[in-house]
């Protein structure tokens, strides 16, 4: 294990998350230089892998998993590492929605903090009960966000909006919930 990898693991990962990442050892970030953005993308991928969507979400077992991002220019390169990975047996297809109809295709949606003034509008375009909605800013929760990536104690963690999760049709694995910081959306 090289020095950079040890540093990233010590700073950004807790022991349970390391276990999850080890289960996905083939993930390409282990062979590339690490950055905060690559760790964020690893979180996005692993969160999606440990989420279950309703059975009627896909029309076939080989239908694509649409991972959408909006305003995430700083993550574009790292998000490319998700191309050809799978979530629940569905190959990931990256999508940057441009028209209102594009938002209906999203299974996971990452919205960058640069779009904070548009949260309410963007989330209104999604079927919120069936979409894994992620950002990295706390004001995202009152607008309907589900997961918020946060840095706590020099580590990247994630908060889960418990009210939004309860209102959604998504199910998180118990392993994922053990790692989460549970937050009541009324904060």
């Amino acid at each position: 294990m090289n020095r950079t990898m040890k540093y990233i693991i010590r700073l950004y990962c807790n022991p349970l998350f390391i276990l999850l990442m080890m289960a996905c050892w083939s993930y390409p970030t282990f062979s590339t230089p690490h950055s905060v953005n690559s760790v964020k993308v690893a979180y996005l991928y692993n969160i999606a892998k440990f989420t279950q969507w309703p059975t009627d979400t896909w029309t076939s077992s080989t239908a694509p998993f649409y991972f959408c991002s909006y305003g995430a220019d700083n993550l574009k390169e790292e998000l490319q590492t998700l191309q050809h990975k799978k979530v629940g047996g569905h190959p990931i297809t990256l999508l940057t929605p441009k028209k209102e109809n594009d938002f209906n295709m999203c299974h996971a949606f990452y919205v960058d903090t640069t779009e904070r003034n548009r949260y309410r509008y963007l989330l209104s375009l999604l079927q919120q009960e069936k979409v894994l909605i992620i950002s990295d800013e706390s004001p995202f929760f009152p607008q309907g966000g589900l997961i918020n990536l946060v840095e706590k104690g020099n580590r990247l963690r994630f908060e889960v909006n418990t009210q939004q999760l309860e209102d959604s049709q998504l199910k998180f694995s118990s392993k994922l919930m053990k790692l989460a910081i549970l937050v009541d959306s009324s904060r």
Side-chain angles (χ1 to χ4, degrees), residues 43-53 65 67 87 108 132:
Y43 266 70
L44 297 174
Y45 176 63
N46 282 299
I47 290 168
K49 279 185 66 170
F50 290 93
T51 300
Q52 183 181 5
W53 278 259
F65 177 93
F67 190 99
V87 171
L132 180 62

Side-chain angles (χ1 to χ4, degrees), residues 86-134:
K86 291 186 177 189
V87 171
H90 301 276
I92 294 176
T93 299
L94 299 175
L95 178 65
T96 303
K98 303 233 186 295
K99 297 180 257 174
E100 286 188 17
N101 287 343
D102 294 345
F103 287 85
N104 291 327
M105 298 171 64
C106 300
H107 298 109
F109 183 74
Y110 175 80
V111 59
D112 193 70
T113 58
T114 59
E115 300 298 327
R116 73 177 59 91
N117 295 331
R118 301 189 68 189
Y119 284 160
R120 187 176 304 235
Y121 171 71
L122 293 170
L123 298 185
S124 74
L125 299 173
L126 298 168
Q127 295 177 354
Q128 288 188 24
E129 67 278 353
K130 290 186 176 185
V131 178
L132 180 62
I133 305 169
I134 307 168

